[in-house]
Every structure is written in C-alpha cells, then in structure tokens.
Amino acid sequence: MMEKRQELFTGKAKSIYATDNDDYVIMSFRDDTSAFDGEKIEQLSRKGEVNNKFNAFIMEQLANAGIPTHFKALFNNTESVVKNMQMMPVECVVRNVAAGSLCRRLGVEDGTELTPPIFEFFLKNDELHDPMINEYHIETFGWAKEEDVNKMKELTFKVNVVLTKLFADAGMILVDYKLEFGLFKGEVILGDEFSPDGCRLWDAETRKKLDKDRFRQGLGGVIEAYEEVARRIGVSL
Ligand code: TMP
Ligand code: ASP
C-alpha cells in the first residue's frame, strides 16, 4: 500500500499529493466544480467520488485499447494513484459535433455534425482564458517538442475512436472532449482526467445534456446527470 504524503499542487477541482514512491502521486478529486476559468465555483456533493470512479473506469478502457495513461489504481473513493508526470501546459480538444466555443468563434450552428472531427489546441492558462493555439506556438514557446505534439494528436484521435463507440453503445453522443498529456520517463502519456467535467455528452435520442454544461448553464441536476452516464456505461459507484 502506498503512503500519502504532503500536498504538492492544488487546482480548481483536484489536488495532487506526494507518495512514498517518487514515480507516483495521488490525484484527489474534490467536490469543487468550476466553470469559465474559475469565475464560477461551487461544491457539488458526491462529485469527487463520481469523477474519481468514472475516470478510473475510462482510463482502464483506454489502457485496454493500447493508449498509455497515468492511471495506476484507485486509492480510495475520491483519490487515485497515478504516475508522477511532467505535464505539458496544452489542452487537446476533439469535436465530433459543434458546441461551445466553436459555435461562438465561427458562428456554426450548435449541434452541427463535424466530419471529419475537428482538433484544436488550447493553452492551459486561466488568466489568459485558455486561448486557442497551434503547433507553431507550442514549438516556438517550448511547451512541447514537435514529436510529442504529434503523439498527443495521434493519441487524442485514438481516444475518440474508443470513447465514441463506448458512449454510443450506451445511447449517448460524445460531442467533444479535452485531454491533457504529460511526459513520464520521456514517454507521452495521457494524464489529468476523463469525466463529464471535461467533455460534452448528449443523450442520443433527446439530446439532453449530461455533462458540465448543466453547471455552466445553471440547468440543475448536474451530479444526477453524471451518475446517469456512469450507470449507463457500467461504472460501479
Ligand atoms: P469549449 O467549447 O469551451 O472550447 O470546450 C470544448 C470541450 O473541452 C468541452 O467538452 C469542455 C472541454 N474543456 C475543458 O474541460 N476545459 C477547458 O479549459 C477547455 C478550453 C475545454
Ligand atoms: N474547467 C475550466 C474552468 O473551470 C473551463 C470550463 O470547464 O468551463 O473554468
């Protein structure tokens, strides 16, 4: 059993703790829920536990599909043991259906199917409101090496194949999602989390929103929706 030590870092919804093994840290999912780059923050009870178990389930599915991830094991209801990586400050987004900032930026109608899917990079920087960037910014400013940028893109699309099917089989549309990667002993590995906090999921028939847009838009039933998604794909809560 790994031993939890001092807090290393605290983000808007998760905290990272050291362990007695330098190669591993503990990722702790809090109930804090944030939107608009931290402008709106509330505690939603059960969220830490739901997202921790949801993320563990998804990371295991991705690992089974050959995608390297940082996830090692659940530590307790709200915490997981993950590899201690050097994170790249870049967010990788894939969009299968138009929603959110894409619609605002380009005037595309919400719900438009995107064929082929669109890939976008954003800089992870709340003060700058996560601006959209491209490969040139990443290379010139040294946020990641060219080969690692290519690897992040390749893995993000691989995740799309696996998860689009997983959610479709459970009656949902994976509209879009955001991934973050890091380096562990030189290898590009999927980090952070995959949960309804960082993706858009719609019911395939009714198009009901089952993700963090319920929180952003004040629709209510946020955690109930996350639990519904978890139940449908077979996460045991
Ligand atoms: P966007 O429509 O706001 O650009 O977001 C696209 C997807 O990426 C959506 O599922 C939300 C997710 N996302 C985050 O979770 N955090 C972020 O900081 C950003 C920019 C996007
Ligand atoms: N996760 C980011 C935030 O907390 C962006 C968002 O989800 O709206 O502000």
Side-chain angles (χ1 to χ4, degrees), residues 12 34-38 197 212 216:
K12 295 193 293 295
S34 137
F36 313 118
D37 307 314
D197 265 6
K212 198 161 86 176
R216 294 190 188 96

Side-chain angles (χ1 to χ4, degrees), residues 7 10 77:
E7 184 178 278
T10 187
N77 282 343

Side-chain angles (χ1 to χ4, degrees), residues 12 37 91-95 99-105 120 122-124 126 129-130 175-180 192 196-201 211-213 216:
K12 295 193 293 295
D37 307 314
E91 303 185 337
C92 299
V93 169
V94 163
R95 302 174 185 273
S101 76
L102 180 79
C103 299
R104 287 197 297 277
R105 264 182 282 124
E120 294 172 341
F122 295 90
L123 178 66
K124 191 174 171 68
D126 282 336
H129 301 289
D130 293 353
V175 171
D176 57 30
Y177 58 91
K178 181 264 302 175
L179 302 179
E180 294 177 30
D192 190 48
D197 265 6
C199 69
R200 290 192 172 93
L201 287 163
D211 55 68
K212 198 161 86 176
D213 269 350
R216 294 190 188 96

Side-chain angles (χ1 to χ4, degrees), residues 8-9 18 36-37 43 62 82 85 96 130 151 171 181 201 234:
L8 297 175
F9 177 78
F36 313 118
D37 307 314
Q43 275 74 47
L62 296 176
V82 301
M85 298 194 297
N96 296 305
D130 293 353
K151 192 74 194 176
F181 293 86
L201 287 163

Side-chain angles (χ1 to χ4, degrees), residues 113-213:
E113 204 175 302
L114 303 170
T115 313
I118 289 173
F119 183 100
E120 294 172 341
F121 283 116
F122 295 90
L123 178 66
K124 191 174 171 68
N125 185 317
D126 282 336
E127 287 90 83
L128 299 177
H129 301 289
D130 293 353
M132 191 160 81
I133 53 174
N134 65 31
E135 282 92 333
Y136 291 87
H137 301 100
I138 297 175
E139 195 177 350
T140 298
F141 295 117
W143 295 319
K145 285 192 297 192
E146 187 184 0
E147 60 189 282
D148 297 339
V149 170
N150 293 335
K151 192 74 194 176
M152 283 194 273
K153 245 166 113 167
E154 179 197 318
L155 291 173
T156 302
F157 275 115
K158 237 177 150 177
V159 166
N160 200 34
V161 175
V162 178
L163 296 188
T164 297
K165 179 171 189 318
L166 184 143
F167 289 113
D169 289 346
M172 289 170 281
I173 301 167
L174 179 59
V175 171
D176 57 30
Y177 58 91
K178 181 264 302 175
L179 302 179
E180 294 177 30
F181 293 86
L183 293 170
F184 182 74
K185 300 183 196 284
E187 194 196 350
V188 176
I189 284 183
L190 178 60
D192 190 48
E193 71 180 282
F194 190 100
S195 75
D197 265 6
C199 69
R200 290 192 172 93
L201 287 163
W202 295 349
D203 179 86
E205 252 161 45
T206 64
R207 298 220 153 192
K208 181 182 170 188
K209 296 180 200 303
L210 299 169
D211 55 68
K212 198 161 86 176
D213 269 350

